[in-house]
Amino acid sequence: YLRTVDDVSDLNAVYLALVNDMRCKMYAQRNADIKFLKDIEKRKQYAHNLLYPYGYERIVLIKLSRNMRVLSFELVSKGGVNFSQTSPASFAKILSIDKPEYIIVAHNHPESLCNPSVQDITFTNKLRDLATQFNCTLVDHIIVGQDKEFSFDEMGLITRPIQRNIK
């Protein structure tokens, strides 16, 4: 993309891309000391480190053991500045192969606040139901915004159905 901008040479475009890649890796490296995600604040921090530096939406699935130890994470989708698409089949494939005990899904809102959209809420409910079909539990859905992180678990939106006021 940078190569199409006037007055940006190929060398400068490569340099800027490398700087951004290094920034993303430095954020992710902060997770090296986070081994367990029992605590909501640790989950938020872990998701923040994975997603905050990116200028486009990403959806990641964090796989956890029985004692909530981080096994690995997987990038499920990359999107645009304010959207990212994925399908239940993407998650079903991961869950059927890896068979984690628990999962956390996280995504970012790179140009907005971390408030969940109606689509985020619907997606969370569908993923929670899908996970149970694989004997897996969705522990949390973290949204990383420009201002802070939002935890569905912290707000009580994971273990019970989400109720909306209809006027």
Side-chain angles (χ1 to χ4, degrees):
Y1 166 77
L2 288 171
R3 291 180 179 183
T4 63
V5 177
D6 289 339
D7 298 327
V8 175
S9 69
D10 286 350
L11 184 61
N12 284 340
V14 169
Y15 173 74
L16 291 171
L18 286 173
V19 167
N20 189 55
D21 286 349
M22 289 302 298
R23 180 174 174 253
C24 294
K25 287 180 180 169
M26 287 170 54
Y27 265 87
Q29 185 60 35
R30 295 177 182 178
N31 284 341
D33 293 332
I34 302 174
K35 305 293 184 206
F36 296 90
L37 296 180
K38 294 177 185 176
D39 177 78
I40 289 173
E41 289 306 314
K42 290 281 187 198
R43 294 180 208 158
K44 288 177 171 180
Q45 182 183 0
Y46 195 91
H48 177 92
N49 293 341
L50 287 177
L51 299 168
Y52 182 76
Y54 291 93
Y56 54 89
E57 277 205 20
R58 294 167 55 98
I59 300 173
V60 296
L61 185 67
I62 305 164
K63 297 170 273 186
L64 306 169
S65 70
R66 180 179 307 247
N67 62 354
M68 304 288 282
R69 183 178 181 85
V70 176
L71 299 172
S72 64
F73 70 89
E74 193 158 334
L75 176 64
V76 179
S77 176
K78 292 192 302 188
V81 173
N82 59 5
F83 76 95
S84 187
Q85 288 185 303
T86 189
S87 70
S90 301
F91 290 93
K93 181 179 178 184
I94 295 167
L95 296 176
S96 67
I97 293 170
D98 295 341
K99 298 177 177 40
E101 188 85 18
Y102 299 105
I103 56 170
I104 297 170
V105 67
H107 80 279
N108 59 335
H109 289 174
E111 291 199 348
S112 66
L113 304 178
C114 62
N115 301 329
S117 66
V118 172
Q119 293 87 353
D120 293 332
I121 294 168
T122 301
F123 168 75
T124 303
N125 287 332
K126 288 180 180 178
L127 183 57
R128 180 188 59 214
D129 295 344
L130 177 70
T132 60
Q133 295 175 24
F134 292 90
N135 296 320
C136 180
T137 302
L138 175 63
V139 176
D140 209 340
H141 179 170
I142 306 289
I143 301 174
V144 177
Q146 284 187 333
D147 58 338
K148 59 183 177 178
E149 298 77 32
F150 180 93
S151 163
F152 278 65
D153 185 34
E154 184 174 39
M155 300 308 291
L157 301 175
I158 289 290
T159 57
R160 61 181 169 80
I162 297 168
Q163 300 179 2
R164 297 187 193 98
N165 293 332
I166 301 174
K167 296 181 180 183

